[in-house]
Amino acid sequence: DMSRESWARTLDRAWTHATRVHDELKYSGLQELHAPEEIFLPPEEAIRRLRAFARIEFRADDPEAHASLGSEPPPEIERDMKLLAAYLREGAARGEETIILCDNDGQAQRLEEILGGERKIPEGTTVAVGSVEAGFVLERATPPLRVLTDHEIFRRSRRIRRTRRFRGSVSLESLSQLSPGDFVVHMDHGVGQFQGMETLEVAGEAYESLKIEYAGGEILRVPIHRLDLIERWVGDADSGKAPEIHKIGGKKWKSQKRKTEEAIRKMTAELLELYARRETGKGFRYGPDTHWQREMEASFLYEPTPDQKKAVAAVKADMQSEKPMDRLICGDVGYGKTEVAVRAAFKAVQDGKQVAVLAPTTILAEQHRHTFEERMADYPVRIGALSRFRGAKEQREILAGVEKGEVDIVVGTHRLLSEDVVFSDLGMVIVDEEQRFGVKHKERLKELKTAVDVLTLSATPIPRTLYLSLSRVRDLTVIQTPPRDRMPVITNVLPWSDGLISEAIHRELDRGGQVYFLHNRVETIETAAARIAELVPDARIGVGHGQMPPNELDRVITAFVDGELDILVCSSIIENGLDVPNANTLIVDRADRFGLSQLYQIRGRVGRADRRAYCYLVIPERVTEEARKRLRVLEHYTELGSGYQVALRDLELRGAGNLLGADQSGFAHAVGIDTYLKLLEKTIRRLQNEEANQVEEHPEPEIALSGSAYLPETYISDSSQKLHLYRRLSKIRHHAEVRELRDEFADRFGPLPDEVARLLDGATLRLLGRKLGLERILVRGRKARLNFREGVNPRLQALQAPLQAAQVEVEVRRIAPLSLSLTQIGAEPLTATLIEVLSVLGEPVAGVGA
């Protein structure tokens, strides 16, 4: 039958491609290759298995099949809700049954609302959640059946739906990834080199510690309960610079740390000052969502992700409050930040306000203009653009329209911040990638932030710690979940091969897609384009780079966006902003010349639709091992959300630098990003006086228990897992967390050996001792000693009564500072009794000078 022939052609093409790629890779010398038949089913076997499934097929190119079934496509509604209502009423009058399938409950509710509520929907019409590739009408069914999809109603291209769940990105725990030779930062001594874990014996008792080598070969051994002082050093992977190793107790580290703290204090003080001014200022208060707002949002091609919904809700809440908005939306490339901005801008325009959309590059400005115009095409919203792509006359007309209030949304580069741009009633400024604007432009933006609503977008993936720190001083929303149907980009690092490049391009063009070929040397880009033309003679090829005349570049980019070109041979101008869902193959020539973060951004240009995307990183036969390693990171980190995983290890400095400013990134590099974030958190807490209402904690006490206290190899053998657990233990701040960890140990690794039980007991006593002002807790068999700090004068009654009730004798050895000697009389182990008694006290029994 026809469908079998169609499947056979597709499967044969895929099999031919797989065998050709295998042969190319084998020829290039790659070892450990799997044969195609080990990975894929041969075409005939695949056909045999597919035929075992029942199916119904409607083929647009088979009129006879449609005639025999009485099947035809539904009418094109094109967002005309009156036409839809009339179509439903007519069907109901003829006794036909209509089903409208929506992606999700929210979309179904919006559609019902737009149609006038459940009571106004004609009888025989059902709005339900479900998905088919396209709507259809079966005239010969009894009764006749009409199936429509929400995306066709809102005049969007047909898409195959998949029920893939949203997945958040997974953060890596910094210290647990340590390997010998990695750089670490000790808060007191600075940067050293990790040499591994060491088990030490002190007076016959075993303890584990981190061995760190400093300048001059000096070794520092850090006990595992002080791992909270250690951070992994993470710098800029693209620069490849190693940090300077410090001396133990040296002045250089102390000076660097002090300078960093001062720089952070200055930056956070400025942020807080701006925040305070905004809190006291009064902005425009927007009304609730209108019918048009709900209709425009319902026409969005994709199902919004949970994070997108949260971001939209947060922005609308800001707009509907009196204080001026200053919200930063942070998210990976292609995760839907622009849609959040479109909805906010549309809401502002409906209340009679003007919106300025500011982008760092002309390409990005034009892309935003295209997106905003497309999303708002059915509404009376006038959109203008100011950039070097627009002629002087056109710019004058737009400026006049902005001043008179005839232009609702104006999109442009920093040109929008010029003095000759006068708004009639500016209500909102949307800034894309603010960190790429100059100091003068940022000062102008700072002025705007206290007067109008400002929404900033950033494609920088940021680590959770930076998010938590910054969210204390500014309104920040992170979009981490990838859109549904988004698939990982298959990434290959390989040497140039005419056959392979030709096959990759043909494969994309055969499925009706488009290709980016990135060649970043303007001098030879025309030669590269000619080479591609030889390999793919039938393709329509365009060349685009930043040194072209603006009008010519605009023409090429527009032609590619509109699908009039098959291949765009370009420079790295596509790095930010170009969004062509139909372009899903990217070939990067001489990928070894790019930094990892830049390649990561560039790869984000493909894989923006529900179609599998491919990225080929082409490198010479001979390339440095460092470059090869860097590219392998991208090859391995293809899973969705792994942008955060790459970010946490190799893009963090870019993230911190982008969000905090270039001056701050220098400090972040010097002390390491994790240490920088710790200092940032500490500074913000101090500036916000958060600790004013908290009971002051004392320094960590010294704990000595009878017997070894560590995680034995026989209990947990994996060293990175042990490091991770030690790290968690060192950061615990509440007694309940130790109990949770104890239960987790028992659940994951089995009954606790004595060494592990002692380790957890020590952690609990350390927490209690810090609260109570104890300097030293010593437990030896049935005897113990508690030494309090200078100036700590607890009420002895509070300690003595519960200890005696637990059958423990108390003797005062010294009054100032207080020292107690304890002797166990009862059967209960002394350590357990101490924990119980000190826990019962709950709140600290003593403060400094109490």
Side-chain angles (χ1 to χ4, degrees):
D1 59 51
M2 284 291 290
S3 61
R4 186 186 185 286
E5 288 171 19
S6 171
W7 287 352
R9 280 196 301 273
T10 304
L11 291 166
D12 280 337
R13 194 182 299 127
W15 181 259
T16 303
H17 173 73
T19 51
R20 191 177 298 171
V21 169
H22 174 268
D23 293 344
E24 289 279 357
L25 292 172
K26 192 173 181 182
Y27 177 75
S28 69
L30 199 66
Q31 301 300 313
E32 299 179 18
L33 284 173
H34 290 281
E37 55 270 18
E38 292 176 41
I39 305 170
F40 306 105
L41 288 174
E44 285 305 315
E45 174 65 11
I47 287 283
R48 189 181 66 76
R49 294 198 190 184
L50 282 168
R51 294 191 69 181
F53 293 98
R55 69 190 182 278
I56 299 174
E57 288 197 5
F58 298 99
R59 295 175 50 79
D61 57 352
D62 188 357
E64 288 181 20
H66 280 282
S68 64
L69 289 164
S71 115
E72 58 184 50
E76 293 182 357
I77 304 297
E78 299 204 344
R79 303 193 208 178
D80 187 335
M81 293 300 111
K82 287 180 182 173
L83 176 61
L84 176 63
Y87 179 67
L88 297 178
R89 282 196 301 273
E90 287 164 15
R94 291 197 300 267
E96 296 177 354
E97 188 176 334
T98 305
I99 299 171
I100 303 177
L101 293 175
C102 298
D103 265 1
N104 52 65
D105 288 326
Q107 189 78 328
Q109 286 166 14
R110 277 199 295 275
L111 190 57
E112 284 176 358
E113 196 175 340
I114 291 165
L115 288 170
E118 276 186 63
R119 292 181 184 175
K120 292 194 179 179
I121 294 176
E123 196 176 333
T125 297
T126 306
V127 178
V129 175
S131 97
V132 290
E133 185 177 358
F136 56 89
V137 177
L138 292 180
E139 291 291 352
R140 295 189 185 176
T142 309
L145 174 67
R146 309 182 307 177
V147 176
L148 291 81
T149 68
D150 56 349
H151 288 288
E152 286 176 308
I153 287 170
F154 290 109
R155 201 182 60 195
R156 290 293 173 178
S157 58
R158 296 182 301 168
R159 302 164 64 245
I160 298 171
R161 307 260 169 261
R162 294 177 181 80
T163 53
R164 184 175 287 110
R165 291 180 182 274
F166 292 108
R167 289 184 295 170
S169 59
V170 181
S171 297
L172 298 178
E173 214 290 342
S174 174
L175 213 60
S176 65
Q177 305 298 313
L178 274 182
S179 305
D182 287 349
F183 297 106
V184 292
V185 184
H186 190 290
M187 295 302 284
D188 296 333
H189 304 291
V191 181
Q193 217 166 3
F194 174 64
Q195 300 296 351
M197 300 284 292
E198 255 190 359
T199 305
L200 300 175
E201 280 208 17
V202 180
E205 293 167 6
Y207 302 93
E208 274 197 295
S209 64
L210 256 71
K211 181 181 175 185
I212 303 172
E213 185 176 339
Y214 281 86
E218 284 189 278
I219 301 294
L220 179 72
R221 289 176 177 83
V222 182
I224 46 89
H225 69 269
R226 295 316 333 252
L227 286 198
D228 58 318
L229 293 174
I230 305 292
E231 300 290 349
R232 178 174 175 164
W233 186 88
V234 181
D236 189 351
D238 289 350
S239 74
K241 287 180 187 172
E244 181 186 353
I245 302 280
H246 295 105
K247 285 184 179 177
I248 292 178
K251 290 179 183 175
K252 198 158 190 177
W253 166 250
K254 285 173 185 166
S255 166
Q256 184 63 62
K257 187 179 164 189
R258 190 185 68 252
K259 284 178 185 172
T260 304
E261 285 178 314
E262 283 169 9
I264 288 173
R265 196 175 298 116
K266 185 182 171 192
M267 178 203 69
T268 48
E270 282 177 6
L271 271 174
L272 285 167
E273 185 190 342
L274 178 64
Y275 193 84
R277 285 213 310 272
R278 196 165 55 83
E279 285 289 311
T280 54
K282 283 238 173 166
F284 182 77
R285 191 172 191 158
Y286 292 88
D289 284 358
T290 63
H291 178 80
W292 273 5
Q293 183 80 28
R294 287 186 286 270
E295 189 176 287
M296 191 277 290
E297 290 183 6
S299 70
F300 184 43
L301 173 58
Y302 308 100
E303 178 188 345
T305 67
D307 281 359
Q308 256 183 317
K309 288 176 186 172
K310 279 183 204 163
V312 170
V315 169
K316 286 180 179 176
D318 288 348
M319 293 175 74
Q320 287 169 211
S321 75
E322 281 191 344
K323 70 175 184 181
M325 172 170 73
D326 177 20
R327 182 166 293 275
L328 170 63
I329 306 281
C330 232
D332 219 335
V333 283
Y335 275 31
K337 299 180 298 297
T338 308
E339 177 63 19
V340 178
V342 165
R343 294 180 184 196
F346 193 67
K347 187 175 180 70
V349 168
Q350 284 175 91
D351 273 14
K353 293 287 182 180
Q354 290 175 298
V355 178
V357 182
L358 198 59
T361 64
T362 306
I363 293 282
L364 190 48
E366 286 298 310
Q367 183 73 51
H368 281 323
R369 176 193 60 79
H370 182 272
T371 304
F372 276 70
E373 283 180 351
E374 184 187 41
R375 291 289 284 118
M376 299 180 194
D378 293 345
Y379 304 95
V381 178
R382 189 179 169 198
I383 298 167
L386 285 178
S387 73
R388 65 191 182 99
F389 283 176
R390 308 282 142 208
K393 185 185 174 190
E394 189 180 352
Q395 289 203 28
R396 280 196 300 273
E397 286 173 3
I398 290 167
L399 286 172
V402 169
E403 191 168 358
K404 290 175 190 169
E406 292 167 358
V407 173
D408 302 299
I409 299 174
V410 61
V411 186
T413 57
H414 56 268
R415 171 81 178 80
L416 284 180
L417 298 173
S418 306
E419 289 180 11
D420 64 336
V421 181
V422 181
F423 289 87
S424 167
D425 188 5
L426 180 65
M428 177 180 287
V429 177
I430 295 169
V431 188
D432 202 353
E433 301 294 346
E434 183 183 341
Q435 75 284 346
R436 297 181 66 195
F437 290 95
V439 176
K440 196 173 94 178
H441 303 132
K442 284 187 177 174
E443 286 303 313
R444 175 84 176 103
L445 280 170
K446 207 179 276 185
E447 289 169 29
L448 288 171
K449 283 183 182 180
T450 57
V452 299
D453 284 353
V454 178
L455 179 63
T456 309
L457 312 176
S458 174
T460 300
I462 65 168
R464 186 171 166 272
T465 10
L466 181 54
Y467 164 69
L468 290 173
S469 299
L470 283 180
S471 61
R472 294 175 186 276
V473 290
R474 70 178 299 183
D475 298 326
L476 180 63
T477 305
V478 174
I479 299 179
Q480 281 183 250
T481 45
R484 198 175 89 177
D485 293 351
R486 186 67 54 85
M487 288 182 275
V489 179
I490 292 180
T491 306
N492 294 296
V493 179
L494 36 83
W496 179 280
S497 153
D498 282 355
L500 205 57
I501 300 299
S502 171
E503 176 67 31
I505 294 173
H506 273 115
R507 185 174 188 220
E508 185 62 60
L509 301 188
D510 282 352
R511 61 177 182 174
Q514 293 163 276
V515 177
Y516 293 109
F517 184 88
L518 199 151
H519 180 91
N520 210 27
R521 288 179 70 88
V522 174
E523 301 88 349
T524 53
I525 198 167
E526 293 292 346
T527 310
R531 180 83 178 273
I532 297 301
E534 285 174 22
L535 294 176
V536 195
D538 299 333
R540 298 167 299 171
I541 299 171
V543 176
H545 56 81
Q547 293 178 26
M548 289 169 67
N551 291 344
E552 197 179 329
L553 180 58
D554 181 30
R555 184 183 55 75
V556 171
I557 295 295
T558 303
F560 189 68
V561 169
D562 292 344
E564 293 166 11
L565 294 175
D566 299 312
I567 303 168
L568 179 64
V569 179
C570 56
S571 65
S572 59
I573 57 165
I574 67 163
E575 179 180 350
N576 285 295
L578 200 57
D579 183 6
V580 184
N582 195 42
N584 283 296
T585 290
L586 165 69
I587 300 166
V588 182
D589 193 16
R590 287 306 302 267
D592 55 305
R593 289 177 173 164
F594 291 85
L596 178 60
S597 57
Q598 193 180 14
L599 277 175
Y600 178 73
Q601 285 286 95
I602 290 166
R603 187 175 68 178
R605 294 306 107 210
V606 294
R608 300 172 77 89
D610 60 341
R611 185 183 287 184
R612 173 69 75 189
Y614 299 88
C615 172
Y616 300 90
L617 303 176
V618 181
I619 59 174
E621 291 285 355
R622 291 182 182 176
V623 68
T624 66
E625 191 54 37
E626 190 182 327
R628 197 179 293 274
K629 263 187 199 171
R630 193 170 67 235
L631 296 173
R632 293 287 177 215
V633 169
L634 271 187
E635 193 173 38
H636 292 137
Y637 281 119
T638 59
E639 276 305 305
L640 291 174
S642 69
Y644 264 60
Q645 293 185 0
V646 176
L648 279 167
R649 291 284 58 86
D650 296 294
L651 307 184
E652 268 193 337
L653 190 70
R654 179 176 69 91
N658 280 358
L659 291 174
L660 304 173
D663 57 332
Q664 293 290 326
S665 75
F667 290 108
H669 180 87
V671 301
I673 187 71
D674 289 328
T675 308
Y676 179 90
L677 294 178
K678 183 180 270 192
L679 294 173
L680 174 66
E681 177 76 9
K682 184 177 157 190
T683 305
I684 289 171
R685 282 185 182 279
R686 190 161 60 237
L687 282 171
Q688 290 188 318
N689 296 317
E690 285 189 4
E691 292 173 336
N693 300 321
Q694 295 175 4
V695 176
E696 187 175 338
E697 285 200 341
H698 300 277
E700 187 132 310
E702 182 189 337
I703 306 290
L705 304 179
S706 300
S708 304
Y710 67 110
L711 298 173
E713 287 281 324
T714 50
Y715 190 59
I716 301 173
S717 57
D718 182 38
S719 59
S720 69
Q721 206 167 41
K722 280 167 72 171
L723 257 177
H724 173 71
L725 293 166
Y726 279 140
R727 170 77 156 182
R728 277 177 61 188
L729 198 57
S730 73
K731 290 197 162 192
I732 278 172
R733 290 293 173 267
H734 301 287
H735 186 188
E737 293 175 71
V738 184
R739 283 199 299 269
E740 286 169 15
L741 199 56
R742 191 184 294 270
D743 292 341
E744 187 181 325
F745 276 152
D747 185 47
R748 289 174 63 188
F749 308 110
L752 275 63
D754 291 344
E755 297 93 335
V756 180
R758 218 171 279 121
L759 179 70
L760 295 172
D761 286 344
T764 305
L765 286 172
R766 200 167 281 113
L767 286 174
L768 295 168
R770 188 191 288 145
K771 269 190 175 182
L772 299 169
L774 282 156
E775 187 173 34
R776 194 160 191 263
I777 302 174
L778 172 69
V779 182
R780 285 283 180 268
R782 300 172 72 85
K783 290 192 176 292
R785 187 184 300 167
L786 302 180
N787 293 346
F788 286 85
R789 294 187 179 279
E790 194 82 46
V792 175
N793 302 305
R795 297 185 307 278
L796 276 179
Q797 193 77 25
L799 275 172
Q800 211 163 357
L803 282 168
Q804 285 176 347
Q807 292 185 290
V808 174
E809 282 186 355
V810 185
E811 177 193 341
V812 178
R813 294 173 60 89
R814 196 172 61 238
I815 293 294
L818 180 65
S819 175
L820 303 177
S821 182
L822 313 176
T823 306
Q824 175 194 353
I825 306 296
E828 188 73 17
L830 188 52
T831 305
T833 302
L834 265 180
I835 288 173
E836 192 178 328
V837 169
L838 297 179
S839 300
V840 166
L841 294 174
E843 291 303 312
V845 296
V848 176

